[in-house]
Amino acid sequence: MARLPLQVREELTRRLRRNRRAFGRGDVEVVEPPLLRRAVGASALGNCMEWFDFGVYSYLAATLGKVFFPGASPAAQVISSFATFAAAFVVRPLGGLVFGPLGDRIGRQKVLATTMIMMAVGTFAIGVIPGYGTIGIAAPVLLLLARMVQGFSTGGEYGGATTFVSEYSPDRRRGFLSSWLDFGTFVGYALGSALVTVLNLALTDAQMLSWGWRVPFLIAGPLGVIGLYMRLKLEESPAFQQQLDEHEKALVQESARSEFKDIVRNHWGELLVCMGLVLLYNVTNYMVTGYLPTYQTEVLHRTSGSADVLVLVGMLWIVVLITFLGRLSDRVGRRPVYAVAAAAMIVLAVPAFRLIKEHGTWPPILGVLLLATLLACFAAPSAATLPALFPTAVRYAAMGIGFNVAVSAFGGTTPLVTAALVTATGDDLMPAYYLMLAGVIGLLTVKFLPESAQVPLKGSRPMVGSREEQRELITMSRQLYDYVQQQDGVRHT
């Protein structure tokens, strides 16, 4: 018992008191390693594809502005491009409201296969849209429609993928295994940004405007087929199967509207915590990945090649760090990782941007690495922390609501709002002030975040990775149950 973290001991004690017995073999779920690897890999690939597109769009924002908004000034072109980017986030909550309840009813795997198809179609469509010079105003309209298809599908993607991986992961390793989901995120972004960097270096500006910008979007088609194949091979998550096996069908028969009311009424506190953490993570995320390339070219007047390489260095640094930080969150807890990083954000945001503004090679690299390290600290525990806030029966839907509302309101608008603030005020440190505000909100949110490291998910059996761990937990539960009975006996006398 001494080896159990406090939060785990408290949760197991509650379950033992409720069951009035120690755990048996049927009370502890064993996840087979091949199934676990396949679940993590397929989910991470979906995120990789989604962020491949995101990296491409962010790095090509200035080029897309010239292709689809040629009559505007350079600043207006960038803002118009980011406005189209942000418009996709308007429909993300709608995607979450549709796919979330659906995932709680028909299963996570089926919905994740559907979102994969929609993402591939939306991204591929951007690559074949004619420019403004060919079809006029219809070009930006079609771009907007394609982005909205992407946004709608993404509304069910991240919440579903985090739910799926969390429900497959053994409790002791959930932080580490779930961090591979965001590992896929940043690998996808790095691949997208690397491809655009190579194209910018290999092609002339005229070639990029003519056809070069289409190449990265067209690659999404084959990637989508591969991702769909992998997801169709997946089995449903143990937690969802357990819910159906136990004949808990009541929620399955409910309407999406009644489920939404239940989530808002009974889980509003968890929703607010979810939204606060998502704000912290995604404002930082979209600042670094979405706005920083354009900030360097349009505000600091650097070449697109040097700006692209600088942000790519930050993405690769996150890829190196993220799974180590996920493992760290299993050991020390999710709350300390969030809290330290949020406090560091408040202190380091301005120095990081001052370094980015400096001339030379190493100061900008150091500034980007500081921001990338903070972003990795927010990303690593998120895929394990957010699903743990909600019970199995409403987990997908609640994630769809909390995550997508926060991302749409604060994350996806970050490049647009920040670009507009810099243009309006002339202060090129506005991005740093915006990050500091996000850090303050994140630090306040952590105060209300329950620690979930190594704790079984709400509404799910304890999850272990081997038969040996199962036997160990059953033995430990017997010892803990005997201790609880003794304490309850002393209390009653």
Side-chain angles (χ1 to χ4, degrees), residues 155-169:
E157 171 63 30
Y158 187 80
T162 55
T163 294
F164 193 76
V165 172
S166 290
E167 290 179 347
Y168 253 108
S169 299

Side-chain angles (χ1 to χ4, degrees), residues 61-106:
T63 302
L64 292 173
K66 295 173 184 176
V67 172
F68 290 97
F69 309 97
S73 66
Q77 286 178 350
V78 171
I79 291 175
S80 297
S81 182
F82 278 137
T84 305
F85 175 81
F89 289 83
V90 174
V91 298
R92 279 187 71 155
L94 296 178
L97 287 172
V98 171
F99 289 123
L102 202 59
D104 287 330
R105 285 166 175 73
I106 68 173

Side-chain angles (χ1 to χ4, degrees), residues 374-389:
L374 295 173
L375 176 52
C377 290
F378 301 142
S382 287
T385 304
L386 300 178
L389 292 168

Side-chain angles (χ1 to χ4, degrees), residues 226-299:
I226 296 170
L228 178 63
Y229 173 79
M230 289 186 65
R231 287 193 171 179
L232 288 175
K233 291 289 185 180
L234 292 174
E235 294 184 16
E236 193 50 79
S237 73
F240 185 79
Q241 287 179 338
Q242 174 193 337
Q243 176 180 296
L244 296 185
D245 291 344
E246 294 175 354
H247 306 290
E248 296 177 0
K249 303 281 190 176
L251 188 67
V252 178
Q253 303 302 324
E254 285 187 1
S255 67
R257 179 180 299 178
S258 61
E259 184 177 1
F260 174 76
K261 289 180 179 177
D262 172 66
I263 292 169
V264 174
R265 181 173 60 249
N266 298 323
H267 303 286
W268 62 269
E270 293 91 338
L271 277 177
L272 290 177
V273 171
C274 175
M275 292 171 67
L277 294 179
V278 171
L279 182 153
L280 175 66
Y281 171 17
N282 280 276
V283 166
T284 312
N285 191 4
Y286 289 94
M287 184 70 75
V288 174
T289 59
Y291 181 64
L292 200 53
T294 303
Y295 175 79
Q296 293 184 77
T297 56
E298 301 301 316
V299 178

Side-chain angles (χ1 to χ4, degrees), residues 27 60 71 89 180 224 226 259 283 321 396 412:
D27 298 311
L60 289 173
F89 289 83
W180 285 97
I226 296 170
E259 184 177 1
V283 166
L321 284 181
Y396 200 149

Side-chain angles (χ1 to χ4, degrees), residues 7-52:
Q7 69 272 11
V8 179
R9 189 162 64 247
E10 290 177 345
E11 175 61 22
L12 294 183
T13 298
R14 280 192 292 269
R15 296 188 180 211
L16 293 171
R17 282 198 170 108
R18 185 177 63 238
N19 296 341
R20 298 182 180 179
R21 60 177 176 81
F23 293 147
R25 291 183 63 182
D27 298 311
V28 181
E29 188 83 32
V30 180
V31 186
E32 299 299 331
L35 289 178
L36 178 59
R37 286 193 294 269
R38 206 154 60 230
V40 173
S43 300
L45 180 64
N47 263 30
C48 181
M49 178 188 158
E50 175 189 347
W51 279 74
F52 174 86

Side-chain angles (χ1 to χ4, degrees), residues 256-484:
R257 179 180 299 178
S258 61
E259 184 177 1
F260 174 76
K261 289 180 179 177
D262 172 66
I263 292 169
V264 174
R265 181 173 60 249
N266 298 323
H267 303 286
W268 62 269
E270 293 91 338
L271 277 177
L272 290 177
V273 171
C274 175
M275 292 171 67
L277 294 179
V278 171
L279 182 153
L280 175 66
Y281 171 17
N282 280 276
V283 166
T284 312
N285 191 4
Y286 289 94
M287 184 70 75
V288 174
T289 59
Y291 181 64
L292 200 53
T294 303
Y295 175 79
Q296 293 184 77
T297 56
E298 301 301 316
V299 178
L300 303 182
H301 305 294
R302 291 178 179 153
T303 64
S304 59
S306 63
D308 292 350
V309 169
L310 190 59
V311 178
L312 181 58
V313 168
M315 295 304 99
L316 294 176
W317 178 237
I318 293 173
V319 168
V320 171
L321 284 181
I322 195 164
T323 57
F324 292 100
L325 291 169
R327 193 188 298 273
L328 179 67
S329 77
D330 282 329
R331 293 179 179 175
V332 305
R334 323 287 191 225
R335 297 180 80 246
V337 174
Y338 276 120
V340 171
M345 173 78 83
I346 298 169
V347 175
L348 296 176
V350 170
F353 268 88
R354 289 191 183 279
L355 286 168
I356 291 170
K357 289 170 55 182
E358 290 289 327
H359 297 293
T361 301
W362 291 108
I365 289 177
L366 180 58
V368 169
L369 290 180
L370 280 175
L371 294 180
T373 301
L374 295 173
L375 176 52
C377 290
F378 301 142
S382 287
T385 304
L386 300 178
L389 292 168
F390 307 102
T392 302
V394 298
R395 183 170 294 127
Y396 200 149
M399 280 289 295
I401 296 167
F403 183 86
N404 288 299
V405 169
V407 170
S408 299
F410 306 107
T413 58
T414 293
L416 174 63
V417 172
T418 310
L421 287 173
V422 170
T423 301
T425 64
D427 187 347
D428 54 15
L429 286 178
M430 287 302 299
Y433 305 145
Y434 205 74
L435 289 178
M436 290 174 67
L437 178 60
V440 170
I441 294 172
L443 203 55
L444 291 174
T445 302
V446 172
K447 290 186 62 177
F448 301 96
L449 173 66
E451 183 56 73
S452 60
Q454 302 187 38
V455 176
L457 293 173
K458 296 178 181 179
S460 303
R461 300 186 187 109
M463 302 277 288
V464 296
S466 66
R467 297 292 174 185
E468 182 181 350
E469 287 185 14
Q470 184 188 47
R471 290 191 294 270
E472 181 183 337
L473 183 57
I474 290 172
T475 300
M476 198 172 296
S477 76
R478 291 170 182 162
Q479 297 172 356
L480 183 57
Y481 185 64
D482 291 341
Y483 176 77
V484 168

